[in-house]
Amino acid sequence: MAYSITVNLSAKRLILYRDGSQVRVFPVGVGKTNTPTPIGNYYIASKMANPGGAFGVMWMGLNIPHYGIHGTNNPSSIGKTVSHGCIRMHNNDVLVLSRLVSIGTPVRIQY
């Protein structure tokens, strides 16, 4: 099974695909106007459980330095344009996602 992720910034949704078929949709928080989430094609380059603080229970770093998909200690920020460019998820959601995807999983970020 090949997983891939698409992040739709305008909808503030992360969509998980398996073999090209949508399997899950998660609400996310995204970058502010002055610190936007970068558009483009990336992949998950690292994973770290319990990174602490604002990163919640899981960090999945992208292959672009300082950007990733992570949990949050501020669940009210989900669905908003509030981050420094990262993709924030509810802690339970990021744990579900992190168990399904592996390092190398493609991540497309688009409007």
Side-chain angles (χ1 to χ4, degrees):
M1 289 185 284
Y3 284 100
S4 64
I5 294 169
T6 296
V7 178
N8 183 306
L9 298 176
S10 58
K12 296 176 187 66
R13 295 282 182 259
L14 183 151
I15 304 108
L16 178 65
Y17 295 91
R18 183 176 57 216
D19 298 324
S21 296
Q22 181 178 307
V23 292
R24 295 288 302 261
V25 178
F26 301 99
V28 296
V30 298
K32 298 182 279 193
T33 301
N34 61 339
T35 56
T37 302
I39 302 297
N41 295 308
Y42 307 102
Y43 61 86
I44 294 175
S46 64
K47 292 168 97 174
M48 178 189 303
N50 299 309
F55 301 119
V57 298
M58 175 62 68
W59 165 265
M60 291 184 286
L62 300 178
N63 63 311
I64 178 172
H66 313 293
Y67 292 94
I69 300 167
H70 62 79
T72 183
N73 63 355
N74 181 10
S76 67
S77 68
I78 303 303
K80 298 179 182 165
T81 306
V82 294
S83 81
H84 287 101
C86 287
I87 298 144
R88 295 183 186 180
M89 299 181 72
H90 288 292
N91 284 323
N92 288 340
D93 289 349
V94 78
L95 287 175
V96 167
L97 182 66
S98 71
R99 290 181 187 122
L100 295 172
V101 300
S102 59
I103 290 174
T105 298
V107 178
R108 180 184 346 175
I109 302 173
Q110 62 188 28
Y111 282 110

mmCIF file of all heavy atoms in Angstrom, residues 7-15 25-30 79-80 110-111:
data_model
loop_
_atom_site.group_PDB
_atom_site.id
_atom_site.type_symbol
_atom_site.label_atom_id
_atom_site.label_comp_id
_atom_site.label_asym_id
_atom_site.label_seq_id
_atom_site.Cartn_x
_atom_site.Cartn_y
_atom_site.Cartn_z
ATOM 1 N N VAL A 7 -2.082 18.468 1.286
ATOM 2 C CA VAL A 7 -2.558 19.495 2.207
ATOM 3 C C VAL A 7 -3.174 20.603 1.369
ATOM 4 O O VAL A 7 -2.504 21.196 0.523
ATOM 5 C CB VAL A 7 -1.415 20.042 3.077
ATOM 6 C CG1 VAL A 7 -1.935 21.150 3.993
ATOM 7 C CG2 VAL A 7 -0.782 18.919 3.893
ATOM 8 N N ASN A 8 -4.456 20.846 1.592
ATOM 9 C CA ASN A 8 -5.170 21.918 0.907
ATOM 10 C C ASN A 8 -5.221 23.095 1.869
ATOM 11 O O ASN A 8 -5.956 23.066 2.859
ATOM 12 C CB ASN A 8 -6.573 21.456 0.513
ATOM 13 C CG ASN A 8 -7.315 22.498 -0.263
ATOM 14 O OD1 ASN A 8 -7.445 23.637 0.170
ATOM 15 N ND2 ASN A 8 -7.824 22.110 -1.427
ATOM 16 N N LEU A 9 -4.410 24.123 1.581
ATOM 17 C CA LEU A 9 -4.291 25.254 2.492
ATOM 18 C C LEU A 9 -5.577 26.057 2.597
ATOM 19 O O LEU A 9 -5.956 26.476 3.699
ATOM 20 C CB LEU A 9 -3.141 26.162 2.053
ATOM 21 C CG LEU A 9 -1.758 25.512 2.062
ATOM 22 C CD1 LEU A 9 -0.720 26.476 1.522
ATOM 23 C CD2 LEU A 9 -1.384 25.044 3.465
ATOM 24 N N SER A 10 -6.256 26.295 1.480
ATOM 25 C CA SER A 10 -7.465 27.115 1.537
ATOM 26 C C SER A 10 -8.586 26.413 2.309
ATOM 27 O O SER A 10 -9.338 27.060 3.033
ATOM 28 C CB SER A 10 -7.932 27.517 0.142
ATOM 29 O OG SER A 10 -8.166 26.383 -0.652
ATOM 30 N N ALA A 11 -8.679 25.107 2.187
ATOM 31 C CA ALA A 11 -9.696 24.340 2.920
ATOM 32 C C ALA A 11 -9.244 23.988 4.336
ATOM 33 O O ALA A 11 -10.043 23.530 5.145
ATOM 34 C CB ALA A 11 -10.052 23.074 2.162
ATOM 35 N N LYS A 12 -7.940 24.157 4.603
ATOM 36 C CA LYS A 12 -7.343 23.770 5.889
ATOM 37 C C LYS A 12 -7.646 22.306 6.196
ATOM 38 O O LYS A 12 -8.132 21.955 7.262
ATOM 39 C CB LYS A 12 -7.781 24.714 6.996
ATOM 40 C CG LYS A 12 -7.291 26.128 6.753
ATOM 41 C CD LYS A 12 -7.811 27.078 7.784
ATOM 42 C CE LYS A 12 -7.463 28.495 7.449
ATOM 43 N NZ LYS A 12 -8.126 29.015 6.233
ATOM 44 N N ARG A 13 -7.300 21.467 5.211
ATOM 45 C CA ARG A 13 -7.523 20.024 5.314
ATOM 46 C C ARG A 13 -6.282 19.268 4.855
ATOM 47 O O ARG A 13 -5.626 19.665 3.901
ATOM 48 C CB ARG A 13 -8.693 19.589 4.424
ATOM 49 C CG ARG A 13 -10.031 20.152 4.822
ATOM 50 C CD ARG A 13 -10.608 19.407 6.013
ATOM 51 N NE ARG A 13 -11.907 19.884 6.402
ATOM 52 C CZ ARG A 13 -12.141 20.691 7.424
ATOM 53 N NH1 ARG A 13 -11.162 21.159 8.147
ATOM 54 N NH2 ARG A 13 -13.369 21.043 7.731
ATOM 55 N N LEU A 14 -6.001 18.175 5.528
ATOM 56 C CA LEU A 14 -4.971 17.228 5.111
ATOM 57 C C LEU A 14 -5.705 15.989 4.651
ATOM 58 O O LEU A 14 -6.523 15.435 5.395
ATOM 59 C CB LEU A 14 -4.026 16.919 6.268
ATOM 60 C CG LEU A 14 -2.859 15.991 5.975
ATOM 61 C CD1 LEU A 14 -1.677 16.328 6.890
ATOM 62 C CD2 LEU A 14 -3.221 14.527 6.123
ATOM 63 N N ILE A 15 -5.437 15.562 3.431
ATOM 64 C CA ILE A 15 -6.100 14.390 2.866
ATOM 65 C C ILE A 15 -5.075 13.277 2.721
ATOM 66 O O ILE A 15 -4.007 13.485 2.135
ATOM 67 C CB ILE A 15 -6.746 14.707 1.500
ATOM 68 C CG1 ILE A 15 -7.734 15.890 1.631
ATOM 69 C CG2 ILE A 15 -7.485 13.488 0.951
ATOM 70 C CD1 ILE A 15 -7.239 17.141 1.016
ATOM 71 N N VAL A 25 -9.617 12.344 5.922
ATOM 72 C CA VAL A 25 -9.477 13.796 5.823
ATOM 73 C C VAL A 25 -9.382 14.330 7.246
ATOM 74 O O VAL A 25 -10.192 13.967 8.096
ATOM 75 C CB VAL A 25 -10.667 14.437 5.082
ATOM 76 C CG1 VAL A 25 -10.523 15.944 5.041
ATOM 77 C CG2 VAL A 25 -10.808 13.865 3.678
ATOM 78 N N PHE A 26 -8.392 15.172 7.484
ATOM 79 C CA PHE A 26 -8.168 15.746 8.807
ATOM 80 C C PHE A 26 -8.168 17.271 8.725
ATOM 81 O O PHE A 26 -7.589 17.837 7.794
ATOM 82 C CB PHE A 26 -6.792 15.319 9.351
ATOM 83 C CG PHE A 26 -6.588 13.849 9.484
ATOM 84 C CD1 PHE A 26 -5.899 13.148 8.499
ATOM 85 C CD2 PHE A 26 -7.043 13.152 10.594
ATOM 86 C CE1 PHE A 26 -5.668 11.788 8.623
ATOM 87 C CE2 PHE A 26 -6.813 11.789 10.724
ATOM 88 C CZ PHE A 26 -6.135 11.101 9.745
ATOM 89 N N PRO A 27 -8.747 17.960 9.717
ATOM 90 C CA PRO A 27 -8.625 19.421 9.770
ATOM 91 C C PRO A 27 -7.215 19.791 10.229
ATOM 92 O O PRO A 27 -6.604 19.068 11.033
ATOM 93 C CB PRO A 27 -9.670 19.822 10.816
ATOM 94 C CG PRO A 27 -9.747 18.637 11.731
ATOM 95 C CD PRO A 27 -9.523 17.427 10.835
ATOM 96 N N VAL A 28 -6.692 20.898 9.717
ATOM 97 C CA VAL A 28 -5.352 21.340 10.090
ATOM 98 C C VAL A 28 -5.319 22.853 10.296
ATOM 99 O O VAL A 28 -6.179 23.577 9.808
ATOM 100 C CB VAL A 28 -4.286 20.957 9.029
ATOM 101 C CG1 VAL A 28 -4.146 19.450 8.913
ATOM 102 C CG2 VAL A 28 -4.589 21.573 7.669
ATOM 103 N N GLY A 29 -4.300 23.313 10.985
ATOM 104 C CA GLY A 29 -3.948 24.720 11.056
ATOM 105 C C GLY A 29 -2.759 24.936 10.134
ATOM 106 O O GLY A 29 -1.913 24.039 9.985
ATOM 107 N N VAL A 30 -2.689 26.093 9.496
ATOM 108 C CA VAL A 30 -1.638 26.363 8.506
ATOM 109 C C VAL A 30 -0.969 27.710 8.788
ATOM 110 O O VAL A 30 -1.371 28.440 9.689
ATOM 111 C CB VAL A 30 -2.204 26.311 7.071
ATOM 112 C CG1 VAL A 30 -2.743 24.909 6.762
ATOM 113 C CG2 VAL A 30 -3.277 27.363 6.860
ATOM 114 N N GLY A 79 -7.786 24.561 12.072
ATOM 115 C CA GLY A 79 -8.772 25.200 11.222
ATOM 116 C C GLY A 79 -8.503 26.676 10.995
ATOM 117 O O GLY A 79 -9.286 27.364 10.351
ATOM 118 N N LYS A 80 -7.370 27.145 11.514
ATOM 119 C CA LYS A 80 -7.046 28.567 11.396
ATOM 120 C C LYS A 80 -5.703 28.776 10.691
ATOM 121 O O LYS A 80 -4.924 27.850 10.518
ATOM 122 C CB LYS A 80 -7.012 29.206 12.789
ATOM 123 C CG LYS A 80 -8.360 29.132 13.476
ATOM 124 C CD LYS A 80 -8.326 29.728 14.840
ATOM 125 C CE LYS A 80 -9.701 29.590 15.496
ATOM 126 N NZ LYS A 80 -9.647 29.828 16.917
ATOM 127 N N GLN A 110 -0.804 22.508 -1.445
ATOM 128 C CA GLN A 110 -1.395 23.329 -2.494
ATOM 129 C C GLN A 110 -2.466 24.232 -1.911
ATOM 130 O O GLN A 110 -2.889 24.037 -0.774
ATOM 131 C CB GLN A 110 -2.006 22.427 -3.578
ATOM 132 C CG GLN A 110 -3.137 21.549 -3.040
ATOM 133 C CD GLN A 110 -3.620 20.521 -4.035
ATOM 134 O OE1 GLN A 110 -2.878 20.069 -4.890
ATOM 135 N NE2 GLN A 110 -4.875 20.157 -3.931
ATOM 136 N N TYR A 111 -2.894 25.222 -2.707
ATOM 137 C CA TYR A 111 -4.005 26.084 -2.298
ATOM 138 C C TYR A 111 -5.303 25.386 -2.533
ATOM 139 O O TYR A 111 -5.447 24.529 -3.332
ATOM 140 C CB TYR A 111 -4.016 27.411 -3.063
ATOM 141 C CG TYR A 111 -2.998 28.380 -2.518
ATOM 142 C CD1 TYR A 111 -1.870 28.703 -3.239
ATOM 143 C CD2 TYR A 111 -3.172 28.948 -1.260
ATOM 144 C CE1 TYR A 111 -0.930 29.591 -2.733
ATOM 145 C CE2 TYR A 111 -2.230 29.831 -0.758
ATOM 146 C CZ TYR A 111 -1.115 30.138 -1.492
ATOM 147 O OH TYR A 111 -0.196 31.004 -0.983
#
